[in-house]
Amino acid sequence: MNAADLAAWIRHSAELVSADAERLTRLDAAIGDGDHGHNLDRGFRAAAGALPEDAPPGKVLIAAGRAIVSKTGGASGPLYGTALRRAGKALGDAGDVDAAALGAALRAALDGVRDLGKAAEGDKTMVDALAPAVAAYEAALADGADLAGCVRAAAGAAARGAEDTVPMQARKGRASYLGPRSVGHMDPGASSTALLLRGLADVTGEG
Ligand code: ADP
Ligand code: MG
């Protein structure tokens, strides 16, 4: 992957989020305040408009993360912004991103979300999609899969992880205020994480 591929992912993510904003907002209306889709739509539009020309892949993600932090409301803005910035920092100044480097970037993104949000797996947050995605990516990498194969494995695990949040009771974020009434609904942030990783699989699978 190069900088253009990562920029294509951010632009594709903006399209996917925009197309799915109503559904994400409905999920958030059930257990939160009904703004998640619109928050992310605003953030990813800003990110797509803030992508640098002629910059290395890491700088593309850092710029996207910065735009998301400044334009996305709610808890998810700082969390996704931090994830992208940490991923970008992990890529450093390299001009090309191989499967191992992308795995390290995804791991750094997860660490960033955990450091900021303090959520563990099972707390019914985006961590429940991102953590299994990173684990599946690393397992595929260890099995010798190429970058597209690793991303496909991550996207599949994220989708299953989002489904697995349905029976969970939220222990972090706004949904935790509902206590047991948060059970029976998919976590909006876990669902958007699965969407973003599906977008990455779309972009890497084309090559
Ligand atoms: P807000 O909850 O402030 O309205 P959003 O609706 O945009 O923000 O995002 C809600 C999502 O943010 C949740 O579905 C959850 O996945 C994620 N989230 C909230 N708090 C945390 C946290 N502490 N750690 C990880 N993710 C969190
Ligand atoms: Mg919300």
Side-chain angles (χ1 to χ4, degrees):
M1 289 189 98
N2 56 27
D5 297 322
L6 284 170
W9 171 51
I10 297 294
R11 284 193 296 269
H12 183 48
S13 296
E15 287 166 9
L16 289 178
V17 165
S18 172
D20 233 9
E22 291 301 327
R23 186 187 63 84
L24 293 170
T25 284
R26 268 201 308 278
L27 291 178
D28 194 37
I31 59 169
D33 57 353
D35 62 357
H36 187 59
H38 296 300
N39 282 342
L40 277 196
D41 190 18
R42 198 171 337 110
F44 272 86
R45 266 176 218 266
L51 299 172
E53 303 273 343
D54 297 325
K59 292 277 188 298
V60 169
L61 296 186
I62 290 170
R66 212 175 274 142
I68 285 174
V69 169
S70 72
K71 288 291 186 308
T72 312
S76 60
L79 290 163
Y80 277 129
T82 297
L84 285 166
R85 286 195 314 209
R86 291 277 196 103
K89 277 191 199 147
L91 294 179
D93 288 327
D96 195 63
V97 179
D98 64 12
L102 186 60
L106 283 170
R107 169 63 62 184
L110 172 62
D111 289 346
V113 169
R114 279 190 174 138
D115 287 350
L116 184 63
K118 311 276 183 250
E121 279 179 80
D123 286 348
K124 195 176 182 108
T125 71
M126 59 177 72
V127 170
D128 291 305
L130 190 54
V134 173
Y137 188 105
E138 290 171 349
L141 186 66
D143 278 350
D146 64 4
L147 186 147
C150 292
V151 173
R152 254 196 320 276
R160 289 189 294 280
E163 291 291 341
D164 289 346
T165 65
V166 173
M168 291 175 186
Q169 178 171 330
R171 286 192 292 253
K172 279 282 184 291
R174 221 176 262 285
S176 66
Y177 307 158
L178 290 183
R181 281 182 294 135
S182 63
V183 172
H185 304 276
M186 190 184 296
D187 177 64
S191 186
S192 58
T193 293
L195 183 69
L196 297 173
L197 286 168
R198 198 182 85 210
L200 188 58
D202 291 343
V203 169
T204 56
E206 283 167 4

